[in-house]
Amino acid sequence: MSRKLLRSLVLFSVAMSPLAAQADETAAQYQKGLQFMQMGKLDDAQAALEEALKLRGNYAAAELTLGNVLRKKKQCDKAIPHYEAAIKLQPDDHFAHGNLGFCYATAGKDADGIRMLVHATELAPNEVQWRSSLGALYRRAKQFDKALPHLEKAVQLDPNNPDALRNYAVALRQAKNLDKAADVTRQAIRLLPNDSNLRFDLGVIYRVQGKTTEAIAAYRDAVKMDDKNAEAWYDLGVLLAQDRQKQEAVDAFNKYIDLVGNKAGTQVEGVRQQIKGLGGTAH
């Protein structure tokens, strides 16, 4: 090898070494951010990922991960621009589209949330979380014809996913398909037998069906599993009053009042009037 060529290679190596060092430091900061996030140290994760982005712009993975950290910190307003940046850099990343959809929905921008989650399901049609979340947004918009296919698909993809089952059951109930809603809710209960909210959901279905005895039993189960489930106490009180179980109705209503205080405003006053009509004393 000639001296001239050797000298050129040495100079090239020296010139490139700062860039290589910066790349190594960027990768190290990114890995630190990932590890901190997995450990639940979200502030440390945020700092490391922000440092990685300072060292290197146009870093899609760091943008996405920083968005995830901020979403975990319940700072979706700050997460949104990072997800948007990740999408610009990697338009086919379904995680960026899906998580951005979550954040838009959290911010009350349901139309934008639906748009992003539609993209996510197109990019990853078998991803349960996108199907279930998109169906839940359509359900919230009362577009049951669009909600139910996504929610049903989510359950087909993962029949042991209680969140997907619950979303599907609630949509079925709202769409007035009560028998199937009850079946799906019972399926979720088999997976999570001690879940108070699922028992409450089943009570609501039975109540709408006019099955008072079954509804009371479901609400009793709900408050037994979580005695701070205010909605279940209230509905239980209503049904016990209708069933002429006056003292138990008074007790349930008072438990509701104790839990919500004055936060429910005029509803609490209405409950106190119901207690008075039952011959009881309100808290």
Side-chain angles (χ1 to χ4, degrees):
M1 183 181 294
S2 70
R3 285 187 179 181
K4 186 176 180 181
L5 179 58
L6 181 61
R7 183 172 179 272
S8 296
L9 289 171
V10 170
L11 289 173
F12 180 76
S13 175
V14 170
M16 287 297 292
S17 60
L19 293 176
Q22 184 179 18
D24 288 345
E25 177 61 18
T26 302
Q29 290 294 334
Y30 174 67
Q31 288 301 320
K32 280 173 60 178
L34 276 178
Q35 290 169 3
F36 281 135
M37 183 177 71
Q38 291 165 357
M39 294 165 62
K41 297 181 178 181
L42 299 182
D43 289 340
D44 291 332
Q46 180 179 347
L49 291 163
E50 287 175 345
E51 183 62 26
L53 287 169
K54 285 179 186 176
L55 292 167
R56 171 187 160 190
N58 299 329
Y59 194 173
E63 295 283 11
L64 173 62
T65 307
L66 181 53
N68 291 341
V69 168
L70 292 165
R71 186 165 71 85
K72 286 176 179 290
K73 294 177 69 173
K74 303 188 185 302
Q75 297 177 9
C76 263
D77 57 327
K78 294 181 180 179
I80 285 172
H82 293 288
Y83 288 135
E84 290 173 337
I87 289 169
K88 286 180 182 178
L89 295 166
Q90 289 188 347
D92 294 336
D93 188 332
H94 69 90
F95 288 108
H97 284 90
N99 284 306
L100 180 56
F102 283 148
C103 278
Y104 278 145
T106 300
K109 298 178 180 179
D110 283 8
D112 289 329
I114 287 171
R115 179 169 53 85
M116 285 297 109
L117 285 163
V118 166
H119 286 313
T121 57
E122 290 170 348
L123 293 167
N126 292 330
E127 189 69 36
V128 172
Q129 60 181 328
W130 309 147
R131 290 281 186 181
S132 188
S133 298
L134 178 57
L137 277 182
Y138 278 134
R139 174 178 61 79
R140 194 154 78 181
K142 300 190 185 306
Q143 298 181 44
F144 301 118
D145 58 326
K146 293 182 178 179
L148 289 171
H150 288 290
L151 295 169
E152 184 175 18
K153 181 65 174 178
V155 169
Q156 289 172 353
L157 290 167
D158 187 359
N160 293 321
N161 186 320
D163 291 332
L165 287 165
R166 188 183 189 204
N167 273 335
Y168 186 31
V170 172
L172 287 166
R173 186 188 81 213
Q174 292 177 331
K176 311 300 183 186
N177 191 341
L178 299 178
D179 289 338
K180 191 167 185 179
D183 288 342
V184 174
T185 303
R186 285 190 288 264
Q187 186 178 343
I189 288 172
R190 285 193 288 272
L191 295 171
L192 294 176
N194 296 319
D195 189 291
S196 176
N197 290 323
L198 288 171
R199 301 285 179 162
F200 172 77
D201 290 347
L202 187 59
V204 172
I205 295 167
Y206 285 145
R207 176 173 56 79
V208 175
Q209 289 180 313
K211 298 178 178 179
T212 300
T213 301
E214 292 88 341
I216 287 173
Y219 288 137
R220 287 190 194 279
D221 286 339
V223 298
K224 181 180 180 180
M225 292 164 188
D226 178 8
D227 67 355
K228 292 182 172 56
N229 190 331
E231 287 183 297
W233 281 114
Y234 176 80
D235 279 12
L236 179 59
V238 170
L239 290 186
L240 289 170
Q242 291 175 359
D243 203 44
R244 300 184 184 280
Q245 300 182 50
K246 294 184 178 182
Q247 187 54 54
E248 287 191 73
V250 168
D251 292 342
F253 282 141
N254 272 326
K255 186 65 176 180
Y256 169 80
I257 291 171
D258 292 342
L259 288 169
V260 302
N262 292 319
K263 288 185 292 186
T266 56
Q267 190 171 359
V268 169
E269 290 308 312
V271 170
R272 289 194 174 107
Q273 290 300 315
Q274 290 185 69
I275 292 171
K276 184 178 179 180
L278 292 166
T281 302
H283 289 183

